[in-house]
Amino acid sequence: MRRRDLILSTAAAVALSGCAGSSKFRRYDGPEVTYVVVNKGARRMHLLHHASVLKSYDINLGFAPVGHKQFEGDGRTPEGVYRIDRRNPNSNFHLSLGISYPNVNDVALAKAMGKSAGGDIFIHGQKNPFRRDSKDWTWGCIAVANEEMEEIYAMVQDDTLIALNA
């Protein structure tokens, strides 16, 4: 009985010690990110301070990545200039930063097609960090690894411009 208790308590201590110092919320005190640029074709996202690239990331997009998002459920990632307009620290995808899609033009385009433009387009992490996601698996969002999302979440502030290019 003692040996079993010793093994269980040791296993619990090891498991808890891994959690003690880790937080998904990081601090960033470098240059301000003034612009986010997403190059959909190259599957790259760049965080810029004016004209200087601070960091770049490989990304995954919507499951139908070619072309501008036209309506809810089309699997496309929007194209154009938007803003980071909200933060979700309790995201189902680790952490997420909201993109101000849809704008007035997006709504009008979808309405002309008899559809809803949708919304809830985010830069986010992975749902399951232990599984390697296939390329372009989101419903129109921009996905990165969870560790990268922690860095992005700390660096990019609300109201930062984001350009999504083909």
Side-chain angles (χ1 to χ4, degrees):
M1 188 72 155
R2 280 186 177 270
R3 183 173 181 196
R4 181 176 168 255
D5 290 342
L6 178 63
I7 291 170
L8 287 175
S9 61
T10 302
V14 168
L16 290 174
S17 70
C19 298
S22 64
S23 170
K24 64 183 179 179
F25 301 105
R26 297 188 188 183
R27 298 184 72 95
Y28 174 72
D29 51 357
E32 174 189 15
V33 174
T34 56
Y35 211 62
V36 177
V37 176
V38 173
N39 183 322
K40 289 173 51 176
R43 303 298 189 279
R44 295 285 288 168
M45 179 171 65
H46 311 281
L47 307 186
L48 285 82
H49 174 70
H50 302 295
S52 299
V53 175
L54 299 172
K55 292 289 283 192
S56 295
Y57 304 92
D58 290 327
I59 59 171
N60 290 311
L61 301 169
F63 63 82
V66 177
H68 176 60
K69 185 164 194 61
Q70 296 180 351
F71 55 87
E72 183 174 25
D74 68 3
R76 294 182 179 164
T77 302
E79 294 174 359
V81 178
Y82 299 90
R83 290 193 177 275
I84 300 300
D85 66 351
R86 62 201 181 278
R87 309 170 87 66
N88 185 355
N90 301 310
S91 172
N92 288 333
F93 298 91
H94 194 59
L95 293 168
S96 60
L97 296 173
I99 298 172
S100 64
Y101 174 89
N103 62 30
V104 174
N105 294 332
D106 298 323
V107 172
L109 175 66
K111 189 174 184 180
M113 299 169 81
K115 307 233 180 197
S116 166
D120 286 341
I121 300 296
F122 288 87
I123 301 169
H124 63 66
Q126 305 158 274
K127 189 166 188 127
N128 182 347
F130 301 109
R131 188 187 83 215
R132 181 156 170 82
D133 292 314
S134 61
K135 187 174 181 179
D136 300 333
W137 57 271
T138 77
W139 284 86
C141 295
I142 299 154
V144 296
N146 287 351
E147 207 169 279
E148 294 170 331
M149 190 62 222
E150 291 172 7
E151 189 171 70
I152 295 163
Y153 194 87
M155 292 176 74
V156 178
Q157 300 305 307
D158 288 355
D159 212 36
T160 302
L161 287 174
I162 178 169
L164 299 113
N165 306 312

